[in-house]
Amino acid sequence: MPDCFKKISTLFLATSFLIAVFFPNFVQASLLDTIRAWVTINPLFVDVSAPTEVEIDKVFKIEAKIINKGGEKIENAEAEILLPPGLVLIHKDPVKEIEVIPGKREKKIFWSVHGKTIGNYVILVTASGELKGQIISAEGNTLVEVKESVRKTGLRDWLQNLLGFFQERF
């Protein structure tokens, strides 16, 4: 056992010496500050949801849960929706002010979106805020498919079936 402590002590002294030589400003900190590691883990999380399929020219809602998984409050929080071409925001302001999210809580926000063009789209929501004076941010996304109207598809299928019927008979 004493040999193990001797090796650890020697390693600690050698490390302290190297730090003092190469990082002289760092030596001014106390030994306790040197040993203690403060790591800020980002507690901000964004969960985005929307219908997986929507009809073209229909309005649908995007919901974002801005979640604070940490114990401290997040201040000056806001969220922004980023839409690809083909999707249009109904109310023109993509940024929503959330202000304060208490620890271990969430805030829900909504946007109304109009599907203008058929296709698959990734909808991105970013959130940011201040935690103890430090800016933190997070993002989440969801996939939406804008499809042809069911009425148009049904009518087209019906007409194709009718045409196929007559082609077989005549």
Side-chain angles (χ1 to χ4, degrees), residues 60-99:
F60 60 98
K61 286 197 180 207
I62 306 295
E63 176 185 315
K65 293 179 191 171
I66 313 303
I67 304 165
N68 179 357
K69 293 184 174 186
E72 302 287 328
K73 68 181 175 182
I74 297 173
E75 299 177 307
N76 302 318
E78 66 180 27
E80 180 177 8
I81 189 167
L82 302 164
L83 297 174
L87 299 179
V88 178
L89 194 60
I90 297 298
H91 301 290
K92 297 300 176 192
D93 192 7
V95 178
K96 301 263 185 166
E97 301 292 328
I98 304 168
E99 294 304 318

Side-chain angles (χ1 to χ4, degrees), residues 84-130:
L87 299 179
V88 178
L89 194 60
I90 297 298
H91 301 290
K92 297 300 176 192
D93 192 7
V95 178
K96 301 263 185 166
E97 301 292 328
I98 304 168
E99 294 304 318
V100 176
I101 307 172
K104 306 286 185 196
R105 300 286 174 128
E106 68 182 45
K107 299 273 181 130
K108 291 182 184 179
I109 51 179
F110 301 90
W111 290 273
S112 293
V113 174
H114 182 112
K116 289 281 234 183
T117 308
I118 293 172
N120 292 310
Y121 301 98
V122 175
I123 298 169
L124 179 68
V125 174
T126 62
S128 63
E130 291 180 34

